[in-house]
PDB file of all heavy atoms in Angstrom:
ATOM      1  N   GLU L 264     -13.468  18.335  15.479  1.00 53.00           N
ATOM      2  CA  GLU L 264     -12.470  17.866  14.526  1.00 53.00           C
ATOM      3  C   GLU L 264     -11.376  18.908  14.345  1.00 53.00           C
ATOM      4  O   GLU L 264     -10.195  18.591  14.301  1.00 53.00           O
ATOM      5  CB  GLU L 264     -13.138  17.568  13.184  1.00 53.00           C
ATOM      6  CG  GLU L 264     -12.178  17.054  12.140  1.00 53.00           C
ATOM      7  CD  GLU L 264     -12.861  16.825  10.800  1.00 53.00           C
ATOM      8  OE1 GLU L 264     -14.089  16.870  10.719  1.00 53.00           O
ATOM      9  OE2 GLU L 264     -12.122  16.603   9.833  1.00 53.00           O
ATOM     10  N   MET L 265     -11.767  20.177  14.274  1.00 52.00           N
ATOM     11  CA  MET L 265     -10.791  21.245  14.139  1.00 52.00           C
ATOM     12  C   MET L 265     -10.038  21.458  15.444  1.00 52.00           C
ATOM     13  O   MET L 265      -8.843  21.669  15.445  1.00 52.00           O
ATOM     14  CB  MET L 265     -11.487  22.530  13.715  1.00 52.00           C
ATOM     15  CG  MET L 265     -11.945  22.503  12.291  1.00 52.00           C
ATOM     16  SD  MET L 265     -12.528  24.113  11.793  1.00 52.00           S
ATOM     17  CE  MET L 265     -14.267  23.814  11.720  1.00 52.00           C
ATOM     18  N   CYS L 266     -10.737  21.404  16.558  1.00 53.00           N
ATOM     19  CA  CYS L 266     -10.108  21.650  17.856  1.00 53.00           C
ATOM     20  C   CYS L 266      -9.079  20.581  18.202  1.00 53.00           C
ATOM     21  O   CYS L 266      -8.045  20.887  18.778  1.00 53.00           O
ATOM     22  CB  CYS L 266     -11.161  21.711  18.954  1.00 53.00           C
ATOM     23  SG  CYS L 266     -12.249  23.149  18.781  1.00 53.00           S
ATOM     24  N   ASN L 267      -9.345  19.340  17.852  1.00 51.00           N
ATOM     25  CA  ASN L 267      -8.425  18.252  18.182  1.00 51.00           C
ATOM     26  C   ASN L 267      -7.091  18.385  17.463  1.00 51.00           C
ATOM     27  O   ASN L 267      -6.086  17.867  17.927  1.00 51.00           O
ATOM     28  CB  ASN L 267      -9.053  16.899  17.859  1.00 51.00           C
ATOM     29  CG  ASN L 267     -10.152  16.544  18.824  1.00 51.00           C
ATOM     30  OD1 ASN L 267     -10.193  17.044  19.939  1.00 51.00           O
ATOM     31  ND2 ASN L 267     -11.054  15.697  18.388  1.00 51.00           N
ATOM     32  N   SER L 268      -7.066  19.081  16.329  1.00 50.00           N
ATOM     33  CA  SER L 268      -5.810  19.234  15.605  1.00 50.00           C
ATOM     34  C   SER L 268      -5.155  20.583  15.860  1.00 50.00           C
ATOM     35  O   SER L 268      -4.103  20.873  15.324  1.00 50.00           O
ATOM     36  CB  SER L 268      -6.053  19.051  14.105  1.00 50.00           C
ATOM     37  OG  SER L 268      -6.934  20.043  13.652  1.00 50.00           O
ATOM     38  N   CYS L 269      -5.766  21.412  16.700  1.00 52.00           N
ATOM     39  CA  CYS L 269      -5.266  22.761  16.968  1.00 52.00           C
ATOM     40  C   CYS L 269      -4.007  22.716  17.828  1.00 52.00           C
ATOM     41  O   CYS L 269      -4.009  22.130  18.910  1.00 52.00           O
ATOM     42  CB  CYS L 269      -6.352  23.579  17.668  1.00 52.00           C
ATOM     43  SG  CYS L 269      -5.814  25.227  18.145  1.00 52.00           S
ATOM     44  N   ASP L 270      -2.938  23.346  17.357  1.00 51.00           N
ATOM     45  CA  ASP L 270      -1.680  23.382  18.102  1.00 51.00           C
ATOM     46  C   ASP L 270      -1.830  24.124  19.428  1.00 51.00           C
ATOM     47  O   ASP L 270      -1.203  23.776  20.414  1.00 51.00           O
ATOM     48  CB  ASP L 270      -0.572  24.037  17.272  1.00 51.00           C
ATOM     49  CG  ASP L 270      -0.109  23.138  16.131  1.00 51.00           C
ATOM     50  OD1 ASP L 270      -0.248  21.896  16.268  1.00 51.00           O
ATOM     51  OD2 ASP L 270       0.375  23.659  15.118  1.00 51.00           O
ATOM     52  N   ARG L 271      -2.663  25.154  19.463  1.00 51.00           N
ATOM     53  CA  ARG L 271      -2.861  25.909  20.711  1.00 51.00           C
ATOM     54  C   ARG L 271      -3.491  25.037  21.777  1.00 51.00           C
ATOM     55  O   ARG L 271      -3.127  25.102  22.933  1.00 51.00           O
ATOM     56  CB  ARG L 271      -3.733  27.124  20.470  1.00 51.00           C
ATOM     57  CG  ARG L 271      -3.007  28.230  19.814  1.00 51.00           C
ATOM     58  CD  ARG L 271      -3.805  29.490  19.903  1.00 51.00           C
ATOM     59  NE  ARG L 271      -3.034  30.547  19.268  1.00 51.00           N
ATOM     60  CZ  ARG L 271      -3.506  31.703  18.956  1.00 51.00           C
ATOM     61  NH1 ARG L 271      -4.757  31.992  19.223  1.00 51.00           N
ATOM     62  NH2 ARG L 271      -2.755  32.600  18.377  1.00 51.00           N
ATOM     63  N   LEU L 272      -4.450  24.221  21.397  1.00 49.00           N
ATOM     64  CA  LEU L 272      -5.118  23.359  22.354  1.00 49.00           C
ATOM     65  C   LEU L 272      -4.149  22.307  22.899  1.00 49.00           C
ATOM     66  O   LEU L 272      -4.169  21.993  24.079  1.00 49.00           O
ATOM     67  CB  LEU L 272      -6.330  22.688  21.716  1.00 49.00           C
ATOM     68  CG  LEU L 272      -7.183  21.830  22.663  1.00 49.00           C
ATOM     69  CD1 LEU L 272      -7.757  22.682  23.778  1.00 49.00           C
ATOM     70  CD2 LEU L 272      -8.310  21.168  21.881  1.00 49.00           C
ATOM     71  N   LYS L 273      -3.282  21.788  22.044  1.00 51.00           N
ATOM     72  CA  LYS L 273      -2.312  20.795  22.473  1.00 51.00           C
ATOM     73  C   LYS L 273      -1.356  21.363  23.516  1.00 51.00           C
ATOM     74  O   LYS L 273      -0.900  20.656  24.402  1.00 51.00           O
ATOM     75  CB  LYS L 273      -1.519  20.266  21.274  1.00 51.00           C
ATOM     76  CG  LYS L 273      -2.341  19.413  20.356  1.00 51.00           C
ATOM     77  CD  LYS L 273      -1.530  19.004  19.153  1.00 51.00           C
ATOM     78  CE  LYS L 273      -2.391  18.312  18.129  1.00 51.00           C
ATOM     79  NZ  LYS L 273      -1.692  18.056  16.893  1.00 51.00           N
ATOM     80  N   CYS L 274      -1.045  22.646  23.400  1.00 55.00           N
ATOM     81  CA  CYS L 274      -0.108  23.280  24.320  1.00 55.00           C
ATOM     82  C   CYS L 274      -0.809  23.892  25.526  1.00 55.00           C
ATOM     83  O   CYS L 274      -0.158  24.358  26.449  1.00 55.00           O
ATOM     84  CB  CYS L 274       0.663  24.392  23.597  1.00 55.00           C
ATOM     85  SG  CYS L 274       1.632  23.796  22.220  1.00 55.00           S
ATOM     86  N   CYS L 275      -2.111  23.924  25.505  1.00 52.00           N
ATOM     87  CA  CYS L 275      -2.886  24.587  26.562  1.00 52.00           C
ATOM     88  C   CYS L 275      -2.824  23.793  27.856  1.00 52.00           C
ATOM     89  O   CYS L 275      -3.208  22.630  27.902  1.00 52.00           O
ATOM     90  CB  CYS L 275      -4.335  24.735  26.094  1.00 52.00           C
ATOM     91  SG  CYS L 275      -5.348  25.663  27.232  1.00 52.00           S
ATOM     92  N   THR L 276      -2.335  24.426  28.905  1.00 52.00           N
ATOM     93  CA  THR L 276      -2.304  23.787  30.219  1.00 52.00           C
ATOM     94  C   THR L 276      -2.865  24.748  31.249  1.00 52.00           C
ATOM     95  O   THR L 276      -2.567  25.936  31.239  1.00 52.00           O
ATOM     96  CB  THR L 276      -0.871  23.391  30.632  1.00 52.00           C
ATOM     97  OG1 THR L 276      -0.060  24.560  30.595  1.00 52.00           O
ATOM     98  CG2 THR L 276      -0.303  22.324  29.734  1.00 52.00           C
ATOM     99  N   GLY L 277      -3.713  24.250  32.077  1.00 52.00           N
ATOM    100  CA  GLY L 277      -4.257  25.054  33.172  1.00 52.00           C
ATOM    101  C   GLY L 277      -5.272  26.086  32.762  1.00 52.00           C
ATOM    102  O   GLY L 277      -5.572  26.989  33.522  1.00 52.00           O
TER     103      GLY L 277
END
Side-chain angles (χ1 to χ4, degrees):
E264 181 182 349
M265 288 188 252
C266 293
N267 288 337
S268 62
C269 176
D270 288 334
R271 283 194 179 167
L272 184 61
K273 290 176 188 173
C274 299
C275 185
T276 56

